Amino acid sequence: MINNHLDKLQEDLIKQLYAVEEKENSKIRQLLSKLEKKEKEISDKQRNIVNIKQHATDLQLFLSIKQIEEDVSSKDDILNSLVQDENLKNHSLEYKLYTAIQNTISDINSFRDIHIEEKPCEIVLNDRTVFTYYTESLVKVFSNEGLKEFQVKMPCNVYDIAYSSEDNTLAVTSGKSDKRCITIIDVEKKHIKKIISLDSITFGIALRENELIYSGYNKGIRMINLYDESISDIVQDRMPIECYIATVGNKIYHTNHVTNTVTCYDQQGKLQWTFHNESVL
């Protein structure tokens, strides 16, 4: 939407520039036409003077010179008027940037100082450690000795991860990826078992028995039943991006980096308490 608006502004600006340029070109063409006409008239007078000098009598020369003086005087007045006219002044095309826009651009320039630091999410299994690599769309599994056992190329970006010991699988969320899903990886077979498509982007995820609980951005906190893949809402409040979830017993803990809080809900989504500390979160 922002790009479309900027494209429209650019298109309007180009149209204005073309209109101003065409107007000035028209003035220049009119001025050149006037000057060419006067140049032709002066050339004609010069030829007449040569002819008069060669063929006219003294009286004819005197009378002709008086007429030429009057003509030259009138032409001089015309040339002076052209010189004084705005059309003969130097024109330059320029643009003026509104102060508000200039301030905005100054603010945008500060974006150059922003850098992105990628930190892979990790989960520790009994004898392995699993990492997600967001921009590389990879899940890598390492032994306790730090040796890479295998990796799985994912169909989208990856964000958070949860492990199910019941069937030895990993559930991986897709973060801000265009492909909105949770991908299930079979650890034993070292490949993707299935992909569960969703209608929202997903970030933090946790396992509780046979249910996956995840932070679904504008869909709030949601739960997927792994048996039939049915989805139910736990908390319907809109959540920011990049939130994490943990479960302990029948309690759900949800982080919020925008408000610097950790919020506790029961399994029905009822608020229990909120912890707030800007220096910690």
Side-chain angles (χ1 to χ4, degrees):
M1 183 176 181
I2 294 176
N3 287 339
N4 292 338
H5 181 61
L6 293 176
D7 290 342
K8 181 65 168 57
L9 291 177
Q10 175 180 298
E11 182 181 347
D12 291 342
L13 178 60
I14 291 174
K15 287 181 179 178
Q16 292 179 37
L17 288 173
Y18 283 154
V20 172
E21 181 186 31
E22 180 56 31
K23 183 178 179 181
E24 293 302 314
N25 285 339
S26 177
K27 291 180 180 179
I28 292 172
R29 287 193 295 268
Q30 292 177 11
L31 177 61
L32 289 175
S33 177
K34 290 180 181 179
L35 291 174
E36 288 172 357
K37 183 178 179 181
K38 298 307 173 186
E39 182 183 26
K40 184 177 183 301
E41 292 176 357
I42 291 172
S43 296
D44 291 340
K45 294 300 179 183
Q46 288 175 334
R47 284 193 296 271
N48 288 340
I49 291 173
V50 172
N51 291 332
I52 289 171
K53 285 182 178 181
Q54 290 178 351
H55 307 292
T57 63
D58 291 341
L59 178 60
Q60 290 174 329
L61 179 60
F62 173 78
L63 295 175
S64 298
I65 288 175
K66 296 298 293 183
Q67 182 61 46
I68 290 172
E69 285 179 351
E70 292 177 4
D71 292 340
V72 170
S73 178
S74 66
K75 298 297 184 291
D76 183 65
D77 292 337
I78 293 173
L79 289 174
N80 284 331
S81 67
L82 288 175
V83 171
Q84 297 299 323
D85 189 25
E86 292 290 328
N87 291 335
L88 206 57
K89 293 184 178 180
N90 288 331
H91 287 191
S92 61
L93 193 63
E94 64 177 13
Y95 76 96
K96 293 183 179 179
L97 195 61
Y98 293 124
T99 304
I101 297 176
Q102 196 166 19
N103 292 339
T104 301
I105 291 176
S106 298
D107 292 339
I108 291 175
N109 285 338
S110 66
F111 288 173
R112 293 174 299 179
D113 297 329
I114 293 176
H115 67 281
I116 297 174
E117 181 180 0
E118 181 181 342
K119 294 182 178 179
C121 175
E122 71 171 288
I123 185 171
V124 179
L125 310 183
N126 292 333
D127 56 351
R128 293 166 172 166
T129 304
V130 183
F131 293 90
T132 60
Y133 293 79
Y134 184 79
T135 56
E136 297 178 40
S137 301
L138 286 175
V139 172
K140 297 182 181 181
V141 180
F142 295 84
S143 67
N144 286 340
E145 290 75 27
L147 301 176
K148 187 175 76 172
E149 293 190 0
F150 68 92
Q151 68 180 34
V152 178
K153 181 65 176 177
M154 305 294 283
C156 55
N157 297 129
V158 290
Y159 190 78
D160 199 13
I161 191 167
Y163 175 67
S164 172
S165 58
E166 182 178 344
D167 58 357
N168 197 22
T169 59
L170 299 168
V172 187
T173 59
S174 55
K176 292 181 286 187
S177 176
D178 292 334
K179 187 177 180 64
R180 301 173 178 182
C181 62
I182 292 176
T183 303
I184 307 299
I185 297 176
D186 188 317
V187 176
E188 186 65 30
K189 296 181 179 179
K190 304 177 183 179
H191 64 62
I192 295 174
K193 182 178 181 179
K194 64 178 176 179
I195 297 174
I196 304 173
S197 297
L198 303 172
D199 60 353
S200 69
I201 56 180
T202 56
F203 293 98
I205 190 170
L207 177 73
R208 186 182 64 187
E209 298 178 352
N210 67 318
E211 299 165 332
L212 289 172
I213 300 173
Y214 66 91
S215 180
Y217 182 47
N218 58 340
K219 298 291 185 179
I221 299 175
R222 313 187 87 186
M223 179 174 64
I224 298 179
N225 187 308
L226 289 175
Y227 292 150
D228 58 12
E229 297 183 10
S230 60
I231 299 176
S232 56
D233 296 319
I234 298 177
V235 178
Q236 296 185 9
D237 297 337
R238 182 186 179 95
M239 301 296 180
I241 62 173
E242 299 174 351
C243 296
Y244 286 94
I245 277 186
T247 59
V248 177
N250 63 348
K251 296 294 190 294
I252 301 169
Y253 303 89
H254 188 273
T255 68
N256 187 324
H257 65 89
V258 175
T259 58
N260 301 297
T261 57
V262 173
T263 304
C264 175
Y265 303 93
D266 64 17
Q267 58 187 355
Q268 284 76 40
K270 184 178 180 181
L271 177 65
Q272 302 298 298
W273 50 260
T274 298
F275 172 78
H276 178 270
N277 192 325
E278 293 187 5
S279 64
V280 175
L281 299 175

